[in-house]
Amino acid sequence: MAGSANIEDGVTIDMSSIDAVDIAQSKKVVSIGAGARWSDVYSKLDALGIAVGGGRLSNVGVAGFITGGGMSFFAPRYGFVCDQVQNFEVALADGQIVNANATSRADLWFALKGGSNNFGIVTRFDLKAFSQGKIWGGSVYNPITTLPDQIQAFVEFNNAASFDTNAALINIYIYIRHLGGWTASNLLVYTKPEVNPRVLRPFTDIRPQLGSTMRLTTLSDVTHEQVNTVPVGARQLFLTRTYGNDPHFLAQVFHIANQTLQSFSSTPGLVYCLVYQPLPPAITSHAASSGGNPLGLDPADGPQVLAILSIQWSNAANDNVINSAARKIWQQADELAARMGLVRKWLYLNYAAEDQDPLGSYGEKNLGKLREASRKYDPTGLFQTGVPGGFKLWGKGGGRSGTVVGMKVQEGL
């Protein structure tokens, strides 16, 4: 997303040296500098037998991930990573460095749990830590002919009345041009040291199987493995939606994606992924007991599906074709979802494209709370107009009456 983490003719604040990872003596809180990556965190905590919720790729930055919500392998146990933040240290627009937590500036604490870069520059995150040993994790690969079994296993996993909160998965359908076709894969993690637990066998038992990296290992190891699956230096597009949990619908979305692909399948460097992630009440129910967050997800809505379209390609000349085709896919999927009663409003900010409105998807009440926090802690609107990157509380321009415009600053996330 051009201009999101850097800026032309402006100032970029490089946070990469603020990367300390400090563990409280009690081992119940870990303080993480905003410039750290999750590899810095996991490598230190693994050796101590503790963990925090965090990114599922080790090279992801801590700050943008958490302030966008943050989905982790531990989400069924503890909720979004933003729900695990005990305290934010924040540099405000007027130069004050303050703490935001449940007892001090609770409105700012709430706003930062998904409100992104709209309130200040977060310099430190104090996260709740917990005991954690080895995990069972890795990826399983199958031919695309297993699609019906994949979809059925995913829907049943997401629907489980008694959800196993140690289990996490990402269901992926990937087309790689130079390999000539589609592959189905599942990133599977069980956060106890149990080999092939019953809850994940519907995925590990699917045959034929092209390969598997499943093993007992560390969080560092699993998250580093995933880095190697993501192309570096390519042009990239993310688009996201949330839908109801229905096998026929999810299969049809794949067929829509496959049909649309045919118009640009020869694009150089093409890697094209349709991804489904479970969003059961086991995940969305944690916010209330953690001080709340603005995401607007209600466990009463039942199991939902976080859907992502991720596309990488080599040449700028193909930008328009791919951007148009990607939006056509979601338009058709939305129309089908509307007919089936499966439309859900929420958009995950960390996967959203620049023309999507994840903050608006939080609902009018929560967006109102975010705007109130912005007016209170950034009265001149520096982080709405001076920091143009990312998603703004008053739309793309970020403008509101009475703001001071002119200085351009971009927080490096």
Side-chain angles (χ1 to χ4, degrees):
M1 189 185 296
S4 183
N6 211 330
I7 195 163
E8 190 172 353
D9 298 325
V11 176
T12 296
I13 300 176
D14 182 0
M15 305 288 287
S16 60
S17 294
I18 307 177
D19 62 351
V21 179
D22 297 317
I23 297 99
Q25 188 173 3
S26 66
K27 295 185 180 180
K28 292 183 178 180
V29 176
V30 176
S31 297
I32 306 170
R37 296 178 185 269
W38 290 108
S39 55
D40 302 318
V41 180
Y42 299 150
S43 61
K44 194 163 187 176
L45 301 190
D46 279 347
L48 299 174
I50 60 175
V52 295
R56 293 168 294 188
L57 276 71
S58 63
N59 63 346
V60 167
V62 167
F65 173 85
I66 295 178
T67 57
M71 182 75 80
S72 83
F73 293 132
F74 301 103
R77 284 167 58 182
Y78 301 110
F80 285 86
V81 178
C82 67
D83 293 324
Q84 299 159 52
V85 179
Q86 308 293 291
N87 179 75
F88 297 92
E89 181 186 78
V90 193
L92 300 178
D94 64 3
Q96 290 187 79
I97 299 176
V98 303
N99 289 292
N101 51 58
T103 58
S104 176
R105 302 177 185 86
D107 51 350
L108 181 58
W109 179 56
F110 175 90
L112 287 167
K113 294 194 281 186
S116 196
N117 65 345
N118 285 292
F119 312 98
I121 300 176
V122 179
T123 53
R124 193 188 76 233
F125 301 82
D126 299 335
L127 286 179
K128 174 185 175 183
F130 46 87
S131 297
Q132 181 62 48
K134 291 286 185 73
I135 63 175
W136 189 73
S139 293
V140 177
Y141 302 91
N142 304 93
I144 199 62
T145 53
T146 63
L147 176 71
D149 292 336
Q150 301 281 348
I151 295 291
Q152 191 61 41
F154 176 90
V155 168
E156 290 179 2
F157 176 90
N158 201 14
N159 261 341
S162 180
F163 196 92
D164 187 333
T165 58
N166 288 294
L169 75 94
I170 304 178
N171 180 235
I172 306 165
Y173 304 95
I174 180 168
Y175 177 93
I176 301 177
R177 177 179 180 265
H178 74 268
L179 296 181
W182 287 96
T183 300
S185 72
N186 288 286
L187 168 56
L188 305 172
V189 164
Y190 198 70
T191 60
K192 285 185 176 180
E194 180 180 337
V195 174
N196 201 19
R198 180 183 298 273
V199 66
L200 295 178
R201 288 177 200 166
F203 300 94
T204 59
D205 287 348
I206 293 174
R207 293 293 185 273
Q209 189 179 101
L210 301 176
S212 172
T213 65
M214 301 303 298
R215 73 275 191 198
L216 281 175
T217 187
T218 63
L219 188 57
S220 294
D221 186 39
V222 166
T223 58
H224 182 68
E225 175 189 339
Q226 301 314 309
V227 171
N228 298 325
T229 67
V230 179
V232 175
R235 306 184 71 77
Q236 185 162 326
L237 173 68
F238 272 78
L239 281 162
T240 187
R241 289 289 194 279
T242 304
Y243 296 115
N245 189 45
D246 181 90
H248 175 70
F249 172 76
L250 297 180
Q252 286 301 113
V253 173
F254 170 81
H255 293 306
I256 291 169
N258 185 43
Q259 290 166 6
T260 307
L261 167 67
Q262 305 313 311
S263 65
F264 60 95
S265 61
S266 61
T267 301
L270 182 66
V271 179
Y272 178 82
C273 296
L274 177 64
V275 182
Y276 296 141
Q277 297 186 35
L279 195 59
I283 293 175
T284 58
S285 61
H286 289 280
S289 62
S290 303
N293 67 46
L295 302 181
L297 289 163
D298 188 342
D301 291 335
Q304 302 178 61
V305 179
L306 174 56
I308 308 102
L309 189 65
S310 169
I311 309 175
Q312 293 90 37
W313 66 100
S314 299
N315 302 323
N318 301 116
D319 287 5
N320 289 339
V321 170
I322 290 177
N323 276 283
S324 175
R327 284 156 178 82
K328 180 180 178 182
I329 291 167
W330 284 138
Q331 179 183 353
Q332 293 182 47
D334 287 348
E335 291 170 354
L336 177 61
R339 293 194 298 270
M340 299 180 67
L342 298 171
V343 173
R344 303 294 184 267
K345 65 178 182 178
W346 185 66
L347 298 174
Y348 182 32
L349 186 145
N350 288 344
Y351 292 155
E354 61 182 324
D355 59 344
Q356 296 189 286
D357 182 20
L359 297 174
S361 79
Y362 294 177
E364 185 176 344
K365 182 178 179 180
N366 284 327
L367 181 59
K369 290 182 178 180
L370 298 182
R371 288 173 171 172
E372 287 175 12
S374 172
R375 292 188 183 99
K376 180 177 178 180
Y377 294 102
D378 181 20
T380 64
L382 174 63
F383 288 94
Q384 294 307 299
T385 55
V387 182
F391 299 98
K392 302 289 99 176
L393 297 171
W394 281 268
K396 195 172 181 64
R400 64 180 193 233
S401 60
T403 58
V404 176
V405 183
M407 180 181 179
K408 288 186 176 182
V409 182
Q410 179 60 47
E411 178 183 359
L413 297 180

